[in-house]
Amino acid sequence: MAIIIDGKAVAQRVRESVKAQVEELKNKGISTTLAVIIVGDDGASRVYVNNKKKACAEVGIISEEYALPASTTQDELLCLIKMLNDRSDVNGILCQLPVPDHIDESAIINAISPAKDVDAFHRSNVGAIMLGDYSFLPCTPAGIMELIKQYDIDVKGKNCVIIGRSNIVGKPMAMLMLHSDATVTVCHSKTKNLKEIVKNADIVIAAVGRAKFVTADMIKEGAVVIDVGINRDENGKLCGDVDYENVMPLTSYITPVPGGVGPMTIATLMQNTVIASKLANAFFTENN
Ligand code: GUN
């Protein structure tokens, strides 16, 4: 019988812990602020940014939104980031991706001060994750690791297959699984024999961005299946990268969409923002 992983409940517990930490900082006279930049009018980005602001309000983090028009130049955006880097009262900065095509995404990511990079996308934070010596973890992979921990899922020595090699999910996920002693395989669009590789997995992490891409014939009986996708099916209904209905009965644990990985991403962002605040105020937090 599959256990359905309740991401909403775990995320709620993380948010409660963050709220207590924010309160503790407040009692020491330290406020916690997240600056959120959105460029252009991408509908999905607007929903994500609204959800991030709502989560901030819930846990007592101050959020500042910088909504810029699609015509914003790269220099204007870099100028804003510099101003936010220089402000000591801003602890975390994130620029919602994607940015318009005329802006170099990598230049933006790497302009954010690594100490305020709560997405953990900056090249120096990515390098720190490689080495297992980090302050911030990228929100979705860290959220998945927290779900695995909360459900006592054994990772050591297990075959973990990650489908998708994005900088945001696939690559850092592989590192975190490796740090947890899993044997990791990363599959992508050029992978040969995908079905056979996935069929051998004890843990499958699907981050492809294609509705119901992972089907029942690819899954080993008793596998753990983590679904990172948020897509619409042919009827416009929200669905993941996994054909949930048919895959679920084969699994030992599975994350639903919605209510699985999604809520954890934002909860981790809140946690990262508090970590940034604590690091910036280390003197006060350690000596008071
Ligand atoms: N776009 C899609 N996911 C993310 C994310 O986690 N952070 C940012 N900044 N942009 C995104």
Side-chain angles (χ1 to χ4, degrees):
M1 209 23 203
I3 293 176
I4 316 296
I5 294 178
D6 188 346
K8 255 175 137 171
V10 178
Q12 182 60 32
R13 291 205 289 277
V14 173
R15 286 211 301 266
E16 276 158 20
S17 154
V18 171
K19 191 174 179 176
Q21 294 171 67
V22 171
E23 194 60 37
E24 210 176 300
L25 287 171
K26 255 189 214 158
N27 292 338
K28 291 175 176 154
I30 298 164
S31 62
T32 303
T33 300
L34 174 65
V36 183
I37 306 168
I38 175 168
V39 188
D41 44 20
D42 181 75
S45 290
R46 174 38 69 197
V47 173
Y48 292 134
V49 164
N50 287 349
N51 288 340
K52 289 171 184 180
K53 284 164 55 191
K54 201 168 136 216
C56 282
E58 257 178 53
V59 300
I61 292 174
I62 300 162
S63 66
E64 290 184 3
E65 180 184 299
Y66 295 85
L68 308 178
S71 58
T72 302
T73 66
Q74 181 164 316
D75 279 351
E76 284 167 338
L77 185 50
L78 289 171
C79 213
L80 170 63
I81 291 170
K82 183 179 180 329
M83 183 272 284
L84 295 169
N85 281 341
D86 290 344
R87 266 180 57 190
S88 61
D89 61 323
V90 170
N91 308 107
I93 303 169
L94 77 80
C95 179
Q96 189 65 30
L97 304 176
V99 286
D101 287 345
H102 65 276
I103 296 175
D104 176 1
E105 186 174 288
S106 163
I108 299 309
I109 287 171
N110 291 305
I112 294 172
S113 160
K116 299 188 179 189
D117 171 36
V118 286
D119 269 324
F121 291 168
H122 189 285
R123 58 166 79 90
S124 68
N125 284 327
V126 173
I129 291 158
M130 259 324 242
L131 300 172
D133 172 22
Y134 45 77
S135 301
F136 307 116
L137 285 175
C139 299
T140 300
I144 292 170
M145 293 313 290
E146 185 63 22
L147 289 177
I148 285 173
K149 184 173 150 207
Q150 292 296 321
Y151 278 81
D152 258 332
I153 294 168
D154 192 16
V155 170
K156 204 180 233 177
K158 295 286 159 60
N159 279 335
C160 174
V161 172
I162 298 164
I163 315 174
R165 56 174 160 179
S166 70
N167 290 338
I168 295 183
V169 182
K171 288 183 201 166
M173 194 71 241
M175 278 305 128
L176 300 192
M177 276 291 172
L178 196 55
H179 293 326
S180 290
D181 297 326
T183 302
V184 181
T185 306
V186 181
C187 297
H188 47 80
S189 55
K190 306 289 186 299
T191 297
K192 294 193 170 75
N193 307 323
L194 178 80
K195 186 173 149 184
E196 286 94 291
I197 295 169
V198 178
K199 189 98 190 175
N200 195 34
D202 303 306
I203 303 170
V204 179
I205 300 177
V208 226
R210 285 171 64 179
K212 303 184 184 178
F213 179 82
V214 177
T215 48
D217 58 333
M218 297 162 93
I219 298 296
K220 178 166 84 175
E221 185 102 33
V224 174
V225 174
I226 308 286
D227 191 348
V228 181
I230 305 178
N231 315 291
R232 298 268 168 197
D233 70 9
E234 59 282 4
N235 303 312
K237 196 171 161 249
L238 211 59
C239 72
D241 289 350
V242 175
D243 178 9
Y244 183 83
E245 216 169 281
N246 295 308
V247 167
M248 186 267 279
L250 295 169
T251 64
S252 53
Y253 294 87
I254 188 166
T255 59
V257 176
V261 172
M264 291 303 294
T265 298
I266 293 189
T268 309
L269 175 68
M270 299 298 104
Q271 180 63 66
N272 280 351
T273 308
V274 173
I275 291 170
S277 181
K278 285 182 180 172
L279 289 174
N281 294 285
F283 175 80
F284 299 104
T285 49
E286 274 165 24
N287 295 288
N288 290 292

